[in-house]
Amino acid sequence: MRKKIIAGNWKMHLNKAEAIELVESVLVGSKDLDLDENKIVVFSPSFVYLDTIVSKIASLSNVFVAAQNCSEYEQGAYTGEVAAKMLQNVGVQFVIVGHSERRQYFNETNIVLHQKMKQAFVHKLQPIFCCGEPLEIRENQEHFLFIQQQLENCLFLLSEEELLQTVIAYEPIWAIGTGKTATPEQAQEVHHFIRKCIAENYNATIADQISILYGGSVNAQNAAQLFSQADIDGGLVGGASLKAQDFRTIILSI
Ligand code: PGA
């Protein structure tokens, strides 16, 4: 059975007190959130608060912390970078790799993303690998080919064991931070396609075990419909993850 995952990507927002308060407010009465080993919550704060948030959730099961990025290098003279080894050392369990903002603004290529994922595996972190098409590609009906290439040039270079440790997030770029969500049908169509590609490149059993999250303007109103789709196993949530009540509603929608 594949896991249901709700991950909050806080991007470059919040100060330390706000970050702590957000986690506390989301998890207040955490029993009501009905989490178990197959339904988990992930918080992804900025690097500087990782340690603090890891401590905050330390006593809770089924709640984890993700970094938003990691270096493709093991260690060394790379000023400003954060190694996967360091993330593991402070108790982080997941790392987002290949978010469209990193691909776009920091020129992260598939080759670099593949190296980052390799670093993640060496240090026992689970990557949340993001893929998704820009608006022009969607308008030209080329999104399946575009996503297939993102998968083939990066994700499908992984071994079976590595892939099984990976979470995929489909995030159409035109839906990120824009308030324009993909319809549940549009999202399901792509998730189904991604699972089919995994089945073709690995096998159907593996494809069935990989959690594929949807990201792009998920909110408290649209989450339940998106999550009701057969191949949507949760969400990577940006803006709405910064509002405790909305994020709680999203967690409860799955
Ligand atoms: P959004 O961001 O929910 O604010 O659209 C999602 C993401 O970028 O992961």
Side-chain angles (χ1 to χ4, degrees), residues 30 35-36 39-40 57-64:
S30 58
L35 304 179
D36 60 38
K39 180 186 166 187
I40 67 168
I57 57 133
S59 60
L60 298 169
S61 320
N62 313 311
V63 182
F64 301 93

Side-chain angles (χ1 to χ4, degrees), residues 64-134:
F64 301 93
V65 172
Q68 296 173 18
N69 180 28
C70 71
S71 173
E72 64 268 39
Y73 302 113
E74 172 70 22
Q75 61 177 15
Y78 301 105
T79 302
E81 288 294 278
V82 176
K85 192 183 353 192
M86 297 168 176
L87 299 174
Q88 182 199 29
N89 185 236
V90 296
V92 169
Q93 295 97 349
F94 289 87
V95 58
I96 300 174
V97 174
H99 191 283
S100 59
E101 288 153 14
R102 300 231 37 106
R103 293 178 190 256
Q104 191 179 347
Y105 307 136
F106 302 95
N107 302 319
E108 292 187 355
T109 61
N110 286 317
I111 296 171
V112 166
L113 297 177
H114 181 245
Q115 290 167 342
K116 286 177 188 245
M117 284 205 283
K118 284 287 185 189
Q119 277 299 312
F121 295 123
V122 169
H123 299 291
K124 310 267 180 296
L125 300 173
Q126 286 190 253
I128 301 176
F129 174 81
C130 304
C131 58
E133 78 286 356

Side-chain angles (χ1 to χ4, degrees), residues 153-194:
N153 295 333
C154 189
L155 197 70
F156 294 165
L157 304 178
L158 302 179
S159 68
E160 284 185 15
E161 295 70 37
E162 289 169 339
L163 190 74
L164 283 167
Q165 293 304 310
T166 304
V167 175
I168 299 174
Y170 167 58
E171 299 207 308
I173 298 172
W174 47 271
I176 296 178
T178 58
K180 268 192 214 163
T181 326
T183 63
E185 295 72 25
Q186 281 174 322
Q188 164 60 22
E189 194 183 25
V190 176
H191 283 230
H192 180 72
F193 174 74
I194 293 172

